[in-house]
Amino acid sequence: MAAPVRVLVAKPGLDGHDRGAKLVARGLRDAGFEVVFTGIRRRVDDIAATAVQEDVALVGLSVLSGAHLTLTQRTLQALRDAGGADIPVVVGGTIPAGDVDRLYDAGAAAVFPTGTPMSTIVTELRALTTAPEASPKPEE
């Protein structure tokens, strides 16, 4: 059996509310992911360093403060600087509909506004963290 996929759930910036992030972390664990949770009020450089050190397949940012665009961009840059440019970043929390496309344009791999069903999050994270199966070579 394959090892569980390891993901990082992080609360960047000054946002001190972590109930949603903890619910997502628990839902991901229940779905078979291995979850590393950073706790609240983390610097993006620390999040990136933890992601690389823990060898995670994905970083999930939980942002309720309204700073989702800036924090996503800064986290992506910090990951590049730390050698984790290949680690996808997803963003969840209080995300206005008008900012969803802006987050994708900034480099987010997925966006989950408040109220996104856990089943949707699990399905999308599995798709983002599962390597596509190699196509079988045609027989000669």
Side-chain angles (χ1 to χ4, degrees), residues 1 47 57 59 64 71-72 89-90 98:
M1 181 160 68
I47 292 168
V59 171
L64 303 176
L71 290 169
T72 299
V89 174
V90 302

Side-chain angles (χ1 to χ4, degrees), residues 17-103:
H17 301 280
D18 63 356
R19 182 174 180 215
K22 286 180 176 177
L23 288 171
V24 169
R26 183 174 299 128
L28 293 174
R29 282 188 186 124
D30 290 349
F33 288 86
E34 181 179 345
V35 179
V36 177
F37 180 63
T38 65
I40 61 173
R41 298 186 183 106
R42 298 297 179 204
R43 293 179 34 226
V44 294
D45 292 340
D46 295 335
I47 292 168
T50 300
V52 171
Q53 179 182 3
E54 294 288 339
D55 193 28
V56 299
L58 180 136
V59 171
L61 300 178
S62 171
V63 184
L64 303 176
S65 65
H68 44 275
L69 290 167
T70 300
L71 290 169
T72 299
Q73 292 166 338
R74 290 181 56 213
T75 301
L76 287 162
Q77 183 59 53
L79 280 167
R80 286 190 291 272
D81 294 346
D86 60 330
I87 302 172
V89 174
V90 302
V91 187
T94 307
I95 312 291
D99 285 348
V100 171
D101 286 339
R102 293 174 70 193
L103 284 165

